[in-house]
């Protein structure tokens, strides 16, 4: 019988690209006893599956040699929890998370090896939490190398005899760390890494006397790597901010009174007291009281829900107006927010690393260039009586032609230009892999509240009976003064916009679950739900039909009763953004399927969807949204998810590309791969178009860079061109492709 696999989890610092993950993956797989490795760049984590005991020291040292900080996080055996990491086929529904609270896990007690403790100081040195990118070791290395190059130019002009040596010294400042990492990666199973490519290119340039160019190439490479790493660092550890939604303490009933205890100590069956305005500290069931519950953090529902005895409430939601007693149904490690944290982490780990083009290409390009150079230098003298100096000269020229300057600089230049032009238009994408991924998107899943819609209800209809609209608005606004309820704010905003007077209300009071009443200008006024209004006034059949019609459009209807007579109906709904319909149409024009995933009620969702021409899936919890994303992916679609709330975080992480809408929560923004700052639905289609423009530009750059090299390779072998034309071929290609990339700065979308 095969022994069950055990899994050990590590946190890794300093990874900021797919090639980093590939190096770590390859190195750890070579260790004895390792069955499988899953590395997440965004989660800064690695899960190692192993059949027997794992020698942690070997794993720690193997990764540290590559230059990354590493700490052991946790270990577990095969079972429900371990199966959470079988991401290819795992279904999160009904999953047993008990005992694996990543959000609350303390990594500080684990054994740790950083790049300062073992292995070389590394190029991808990461910032500590809260540390600015310019304070990192990588930034210091880039600045030091650039300063050394500038100093070399100055000294070389003043003392020409020392020019070669000062440029060599400037080169070594940046090349030594790169070469050391290249060596460590080669020993760990990745011989032709991007660092190895740069090391060979620089060494080849020095061999033929182009030391100045070699130093410049290293500086440009370091700058490109620095820019690439800046965006990647912002996604680190942000998901832990979800835990802040759950209050740190809770009031527990004990011995006839209440005692304040840490929320993490709550056990199933405890009865807690939740005061108005407080966040609910645990998942539970109401045993006494009723109140409006703001569930936006969990479901994205645009308006609070009235809940009473025997109804479920979720950790992190907000109790609006009544005192509640709640029986706890889930421990802190298994509440709704903790589950969301784990869903996000698992979805991040499930993403397969996408290697950068240059690193993939270098696996063939670097050995190919070396082989061609060696063959040109050796074969003619050995077998055809050629002149050694002549053919070594040609071999060195070919090595210089093979210098990856144009390839190393031009592709990041196009991506940087694309990211910059996007950012100027409020389209933020976290790195080149995300920008590239947009061109492959074939389906977009939108959240409703705050994404397709503005995120707050507005007054859409005012139906009056015997009074004018201003008077009905004035009476309703008078009762709602001072309230922070979203529906009350909608009425007050409409009254302000219509310049309706808001008289004072006497003896105004809320009637639990029904509405609000008071006296305005000597008139007894009530504003509330249709059934509650029906208890205070006779309603005609026409009035009831009008309410039903408005409800059928997904609108919430408040009925105004004045002196026992229905005076008007005020309908409210969270309306679509002004460009929502155009944005959906633009995506369809690009051949992209659109679907709405929302926690809102089905009637409202279907009404909004019908007006936008989009598919609707309603009444979904976070895990439901994530499951829907998986279903679309299993249909063969590349899915982008657009959302703005915490409830969207798992689906954002599970999608091929997660997009946070402007004004969204920090968690949504950090979980997402991209963000739309200005809240325009049309910007999703613009991101797709920008991606396609950038990738077309990169294709042109590759053709130019490799085409020039191919031409000069042939002319060098034929003896038509030599070292200086070879240098011009390389620098000329760099200039051409960089200029081509800069055209993207004029992109208008």
């Amino acid at each position: 019988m095969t022994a069950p696999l055990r899994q050990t989890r590590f946190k890794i610092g300093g990874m900021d690209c797919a090639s980093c993950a590939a190096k770590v993956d390859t190195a750890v797989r070579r260790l004895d006893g390792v069955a499988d490795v899953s590395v997440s760049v965004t989660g800064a984590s690695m899960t190692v599956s192993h059949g027997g005991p794992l020698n942690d020291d070997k794993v720690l040292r193997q990764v540290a040699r590559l230059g990354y900080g590493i700490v052991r996080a946790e270990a577990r055996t095969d079972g429900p929890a371990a199966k959470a990491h079988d991401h290819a086929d795992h279904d999160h529904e009904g999953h047993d998370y008990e005992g694996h609270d990543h959000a609350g896990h303390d990594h500080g007690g684990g054994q740790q090896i950083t790049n300062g403790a073992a292995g070389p100081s590394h190029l991808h040195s990461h910032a500590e939490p809260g540390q600015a990118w310019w304070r990192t070791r990588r930034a210091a290395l880039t600045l030091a190398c650039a300063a050394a190059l500038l100093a070399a130019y100055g000294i070389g002009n003043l003392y020409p005899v020392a020019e070669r040596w000062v440029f060599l010294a400037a080169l070594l400042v940046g090349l030594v760390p790169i070469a050391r990492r290249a060596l460590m990666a080669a020993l760990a199973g990745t011989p032709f890494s991007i660092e190895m490519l740069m090391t060979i290119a620089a060494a080849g340039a020095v061999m033929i006397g182009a030391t100045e160019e070699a130093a410049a190439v290293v500086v440009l490479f370091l700058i490109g790597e620095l820019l690439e790493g800046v965006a990647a660092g912002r996604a680190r550890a942000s998901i832990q901010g979800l835990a802040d939604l759950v209050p740190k303490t809770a009031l527990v009933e004990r011995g006839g009174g209440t005692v304040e205890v840490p929320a993490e100590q709550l056990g199933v069956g405890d009865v807690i007291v939740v005061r108005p305005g407080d966040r609910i500290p645990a998942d539970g069931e109401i045993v006494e009281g009723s109140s409006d519950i703001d569930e936006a953090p969990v479901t994205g529902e645009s308006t609070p829900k009235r809940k009473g005895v025997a109804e479920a409430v979720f950790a992190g939601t907000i109790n609006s107006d009544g005192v509640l007693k709640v029986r706890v149904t889930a421990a802190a490690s298994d509440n709704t927010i903790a589950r969301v944290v784990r869903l996000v982490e698992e979805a991040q780990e499930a993403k397969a690393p996408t290697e950068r083009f240059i690193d993939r290409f270098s696996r063939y390009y670097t050995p190919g260039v070396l082989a061609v150079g060696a063959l040109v230098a050796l074969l003619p003298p050995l077998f055809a009586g050629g002149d050694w100096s002549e053919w070594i000269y040609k071999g060195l020229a070919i090595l210089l032609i093979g210098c990856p300057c144009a390839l190393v600089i031009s592709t990041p230049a196009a991506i940087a230009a694309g990211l910059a032009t996007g950012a100027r238009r409020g389209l933020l994408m976290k790195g080149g892999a995300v920008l590239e991924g947009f061109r492959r998107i074939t389906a977009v899943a939108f959240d409703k509240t705050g994404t397709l819609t503005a995120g707050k209800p507005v007054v859409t209809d005012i139906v009056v009976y015997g009074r004018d609209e201003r008077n009905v608005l004035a009476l309703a606004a008078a009762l709602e003064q001072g309230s922070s309820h979203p529906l009350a704010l909608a009425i007050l905003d409409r009254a302000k916009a219509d310049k309706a007077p808001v008289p004072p209300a006497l003896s105004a009071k809320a009637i639990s679950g029904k509405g609000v009443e008071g006296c305005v200008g000597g008139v007894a006024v009530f504003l509330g739900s249709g059934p509650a209004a029906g208890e205070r006034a006779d309603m005609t059949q026409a009035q009831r039909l009008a309410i039903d019609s408005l409800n059928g459009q997904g609108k919430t209807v408040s009925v105004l009763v004045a002196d026992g007579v229905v005076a008007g109906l005020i309908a409210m709904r969270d309306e679509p953004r002004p460009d929502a319909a155009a944005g959906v149409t633009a995506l369809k024009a690009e051949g992209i399927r659109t679907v709405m995933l929302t926690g809102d009620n089905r009637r409202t969702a279907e009404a909004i969807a019908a007006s936008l021409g989009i598919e609707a899936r309603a009444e979904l919890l976070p895990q439901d949204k994530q499951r829907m994303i998986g279903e679309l992916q299993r249909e063969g679609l590349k899915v982008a998810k657009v959302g703005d709330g915490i409830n969207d975080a798992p689906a954002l992480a599970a999608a091929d590309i997660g997009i946070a809408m402007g004004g969204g929560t920090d968690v949504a923004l950090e979980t997402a791969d991209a963000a739309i700052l200005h809240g325009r639905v049309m910007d999703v289609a613009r991101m797709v178009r920008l991606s396609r423009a950038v990738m077309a530009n990169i294709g042109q750059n590759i053709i130019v860079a490799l085409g020039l090299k191919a031409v000069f390779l042939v002319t060098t072998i034929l003896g038509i061109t030599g070292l200086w034309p070879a240098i011009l071929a390389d620098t000329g290609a760099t200039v051409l492709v960089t200029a081509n990339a800069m055209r993207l700065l004029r992109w208008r979308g």
Side-chain angles (χ1 to χ4, degrees), residues 133-182:
W133 64 268
W134 58 83
R135 296 180 182 272
T136 63
R137 264 180 271 180
R138 180 169 56 186
L141 175 62
T142 304
L143 291 174
C145 194
L149 180 62
L150 291 175
Y153 276 117
I155 295 171
N157 285 331
L158 293 174
Y159 306 100
V161 69
E163 184 179 45
R164 174 178 172 81
W165 301 108
V166 293
F167 277 113
L168 182 61
L171 168 67
L172 293 176
V173 171
L175 187 60
V176 168
I178 295 173
R180 192 179 293 176
R181 284 210 66 195

Side-chain angles (χ1 to χ4, degrees), residues 303 457-465 472-473 475-477 479-480 485-492 514-516 525-534 539 543 546-548 550-551 555-561 566-573:
T303 55
V458 296
V459 174
T460 58
D461 303 88
I462 301 175
V463 182
V464 297
Y465 301 101
V472 168
L473 260 181
L475 293 174
L479 292 179
E480 298 289 20
H485 191 287
L487 296 180
L489 295 176
I491 291 172
L492 291 168
K514 295 185 177 181
V516 60
V525 182
F526 170 82
L527 181 68
S529 65
M539 298 180 67
Q543 290 169 344
I547 293 173
D548 290 342
L550 292 168
N551 284 335
K555 298 174 181 178
T556 300
V557 181
S558 290
V559 181
L560 183 74
V561 177
V566 174
L569 311 177
I570 300 178
M572 290 158 282
R573 188 173 71 179

Side-chain angles (χ1 to χ4, degrees), residues 30-290:
R30 293 164 64 92
L31 298 176
D32 292 338
V34 173
D36 193 20
V37 179
S38 175
V39 183
S40 168
V41 175
T42 52
S45 63
M46 173 178 68
T47 300
V48 180
S49 300
H50 47 100
L54 182 70
N55 189 325
D56 286 0
D57 286 345
K58 286 187 177 179
V59 175
L60 295 172
R61 294 187 184 283
Q62 186 82 325
V63 174
R65 285 192 190 101
L66 296 175
Y68 304 107
I70 178 171
V71 58
R72 182 172 187 251
E74 63 177 299
R76 52 185 174 270
T77 57
D78 194 22
K83 288 175 184 174
H85 295 270
D86 183 13
H87 305 293
D89 304 302
H90 183 68
D91 182 355
H92 296 289
E93 254 187 327
H95 181 68
D96 176 14
Y97 292 96
E98 189 171 354
H100 301 284
D101 180 17
H102 304 321
H105 189 74
D106 181 8
H107 302 301
Q111 183 180 1
Q112 182 172 11
I113 295 180
T114 65
N115 55 333
S121 63
H122 76 96
L123 186 61
H124 293 254
S125 206
H126 65 291
E128 296 299 326
Q131 184 180 18
W133 64 268
W134 58 83
R135 296 180 182 272
T136 63
R137 264 180 271 180
R138 180 169 56 186
L141 175 62
T142 304
L143 291 174
C145 194
L149 180 62
L150 291 175
Y153 276 117
I155 295 171
N157 285 331
L158 293 174
Y159 306 100
V161 69
E163 184 179 45
R164 174 178 172 81
W165 301 108
V166 293
F167 277 113
L168 182 61
L171 168 67
L172 293 176
V173 171
L175 187 60
V176 168
I178 295 173
R180 192 179 293 176
R181 284 210 66 195
L183 176 61
M184 291 299 105
L187 293 175
T190 309
F192 298 117
S193 63
I194 189 69
E195 290 84 5
M196 182 65 77
L197 190 68
M198 286 303 307
T199 302
I200 294 170
V206 171
M207 288 172 61
I208 60 172
T211 310
E212 175 183 343
E213 184 180 0
V217 167
V218 170
V219 171
L220 292 172
F221 174 73
L222 291 175
I223 292 172
E225 289 289 286
L226 180 63
L227 292 174
E228 185 178 289
V230 169
R234 302 195 182 275
R236 301 278 188 255
S238 59
I239 298 306
Q240 303 309 321
L242 280 170
D244 294 338
L245 288 172
V246 181
K248 303 301 181 188
T249 61
L251 292 175
V252 183
E253 281 195 342
R254 286 186 185 157
T258 58
V259 180
E260 188 172 75
V261 301
E264 63 185 17
Q265 294 180 8
L266 291 175
V268 175
D270 284 344
V271 176
I272 56 177
V273 177
V274 186
R275 297 166 298 192
D278 286 352
R279 286 186 181 269
I280 297 172
D283 287 1
E285 182 180 276
I286 298 173
V287 294
E288 184 179 315
S290 66

Side-chain angles (χ1 to χ4, degrees), residues 11 42-44 103 129 232-244 341 344-345 348 430 646 649 665-672:
K11 301 298 288 184
T42 52
R234 302 195 182 275
R236 301 278 188 255
S238 59
I239 298 306
Q240 303 309 321
L242 280 170
D244 294 338
V341 171
V344 171
E345 288 187 340
Q348 287 177 331
K430 295 180 179 177
I646 292 156
T665 64
D666 290 339
V667 173
L669 290 170
E670 295 294 350
T671 305

Side-chain angles (χ1 to χ4, degrees), residues 8 141 150 227 244 331 346 392 453 470 643 652 692 703:
T8 304
L141 175 62
L150 291 175
L227 292 174
D244 294 338
E346 290 173 4
I392 288 176
T453 67
R470 281 169 57 85
L652 287 171
R692 292 174 179 174
I703 291 171

